């Protein structure tokens, strides 16, 4: 288990003063990055060994969004390794221990020179340790894209600002692309995204909307694909939302 404390910044909130989903994922990713940096297996070690952790899948459930200025604690728990795979939970809590969001994630350790998966070395396992996995509704990390055609919405050309230290589009950027078509009067309660291939500088990412359906508890569920010019898919997201006015808290009340 690894945790760090923070405070919600103005640059991380939406127009209602609540933390954006993309910023929540940034917090989770930063938490795991801090863990490996503090353990001596961070970016410098990765560059020396020509390896990198690439995320395959996120599943996130949000109980309540923190607001501007709130103090929060972010925690990650690596709970399983399988060869080249690493499985991690995350959660965000208030300083008083109220659980705000919970997540599951699947990562692959890749040899960037061979572009092939590589077994997690003992040095990393010693730093991670393994915790008991959190109690949550674990869904399949495979998200099926409907066979019918979706509606093309936005188009994004990948520029340097989208890239991370591995020269690929950072996983949080795909979330931003998908969230770009969610109406402002809706707020995300559950989110899943499966990453299928990496986008790089100069690629074109097309946001394709496959429409929405009403869930049993009267929420909206959308499926959004992020496609390349050749018709293949970079990532596919399933986003469940509800009316923002029904949000449990507002930043300004």
């Amino acid at each position: 288990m690894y945790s760090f404390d923070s405070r919600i910044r103005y640059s991380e909130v939406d127009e209602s003063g609540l933390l954006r989903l993309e910023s929540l994922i940034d917090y989770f990713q930063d938490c795991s990055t801090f863990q490996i940096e503090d353990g001596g297996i961070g970016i410098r070690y990765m560059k020396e060994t020509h390896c990198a952790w690439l995320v395959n899948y996120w599943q996130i459930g949000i109980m309540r969004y923190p607001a501007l200025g709130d103090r929060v604690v972010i925690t990650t728990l690596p709970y399983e390794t399988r060869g080249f795979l690493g499985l991690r939970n995350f959660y965000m809590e208030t300083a008083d221990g109220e659980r705000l969001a919970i997540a599951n994630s699947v990562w692959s350790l890749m040899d960037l020179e061979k572009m092939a998966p590589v077994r997690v070395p003992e040095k990393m396992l010693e730093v991670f340790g393994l915790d008991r996995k959190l109690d949550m509704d674990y869904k399949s990390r495979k998200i099926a894209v409907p066979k019918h055609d979706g509606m093309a919405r936005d188009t994004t050309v990948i520029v340097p600002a989208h890239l991370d230290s591995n020269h690929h589009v950072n996983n949080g950027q795909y979330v931003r692309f998908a969230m770009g078509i969610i109406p402002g009067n809706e707020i995300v309660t559950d989110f899943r995204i499966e990453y299928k291939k990496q986008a790089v500088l100069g690629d074109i990412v097309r946001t394709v909307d496959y429409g929405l359906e009403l869930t049993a508890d009267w929420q909206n569920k959308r499926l959004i694909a992020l496609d390349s010019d050749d018709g293949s898919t970079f990532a596919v997201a399933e986003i469940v939302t509800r009316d923002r006015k029904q949000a449990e808290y507002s930043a300004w009340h």
Side-chain angles (χ1 to χ4, degrees):
M1 177 185 294
Y2 181 94
S3 300
F4 78 98
D5 300 337
S6 192
R7 191 176 185 189
I8 304 304
R9 301 165 178 83
Y10 183 75
S11 58
E12 299 167 339
V13 301
D14 61 18
E15 60 185 350
S16 69
L18 299 178
L19 182 70
R20 295 191 302 268
L21 173 66
E22 309 96 289
S23 298
L24 173 64
I25 293 177
D26 287 342
Y27 269 115
F28 288 160
Q29 181 172 256
D30 287 344
C31 189
S32 58
T33 300
F34 290 155
Q35 183 185 34
I36 63 174
E37 287 293 335
D38 288 355
I41 54 171
I43 291 179
R44 179 176 296 180
Y45 171 83
M46 292 291 189
K47 287 186 178 296
E48 291 173 351
T49 57
H50 312 292
C51 290
W53 283 104
L54 304 182
V55 65
N56 301 97
Y57 173 75
W58 280 107
Q59 177 190 339
I60 301 173
I62 300 98
M63 298 76 162
R64 179 172 75 85
Y65 286 89
L68 174 65
D70 284 353
R71 299 185 184 278
V72 292
V73 181
I74 304 91
T75 300
T76 184
L77 302 90
Y79 66 86
E80 187 177 349
T81 59
R82 305 176 193 163
F84 62 89
L85 291 178
L87 286 70
R88 282 180 176 268
N89 285 138
F90 295 83
Y91 59 87
M92 176 182 281
E93 295 182 323
T94 66
D96 296 328
E98 176 193 353
R99 187 68 55 87
L100 299 173
I102 191 171
N104 184 45
S105 61
V106 179
W107 304 73
S108 296
L109 185 63
M110 300 291 292
D111 182 322
L112 295 182
E113 290 189 334
K114 300 178 180 178
M115 285 311 297
V118 58
R119 180 175 290 274
V120 181
E122 286 297 323
K123 182 175 181 178
M124 289 187 179
L125 295 177
E126 291 172 2
V127 172
F128 293 158
L130 291 179
D131 292 279
R132 181 177 178 179
K133 66 191 297 187
L134 296 179
D135 182 16
M136 63 181 291
D137 178 20
Y138 291 86
K139 298 180 179 178
S140 170
R141 69 183 182 93
K142 297 296 183 181
I143 304 175
V145 178
K147 294 182 179 180
H148 64 80
D149 291 336
M151 178 182 295
R153 300 286 291 273
D154 298 336
T155 299
T156 304
V157 179
I158 300 305
V159 298
H162 295 127
L163 307 180
D164 59 21
S165 60
N166 298 316
H167 309 296
H168 298 143
V169 173
N170 182 269
N171 72 86
Q173 296 290 351
Y174 297 98
V175 178
R176 290 177 172 84
F177 300 156
M179 288 296 296
I181 67 171
I182 300 298
N185 65 336
E186 296 182 23
I187 195 165
V188 177
T189 58
D190 292 278
F191 179 86
R192 289 196 299 147
I193 185 167
E194 178 191 357
Y195 299 93
K196 294 179 176 291
K197 74 172 190 175
Q198 296 289 323
V200 297
L201 186 66
D203 280 346
I204 295 175
V205 178
R206 302 189 187 281
T207 305
V208 181
D209 184 1
Y210 284 89
L212 59 83
E213 61 179 271
L214 198 62
T215 68
D217 54 354
W218 300 95
Q219 297 191 92
N220 292 323
K221 182 166 70 174
R222 285 181 174 81
L223 193 132
I224 297 169
L226 300 167
D227 291 346
S228 67
D229 257 358
D230 63 10
S232 60
T233 300
F234 292 116
V236 56
E238 180 186 89
I239 306 176
V240 179
T241 64
R242 59 188 167 113
D243 192 297
R244 183 176 289 274
K245 293 180 180 178
Q246 298 174 357
E248 188 175 358
Y249 292 92
S250 169
W252 312 129
H253 293 81

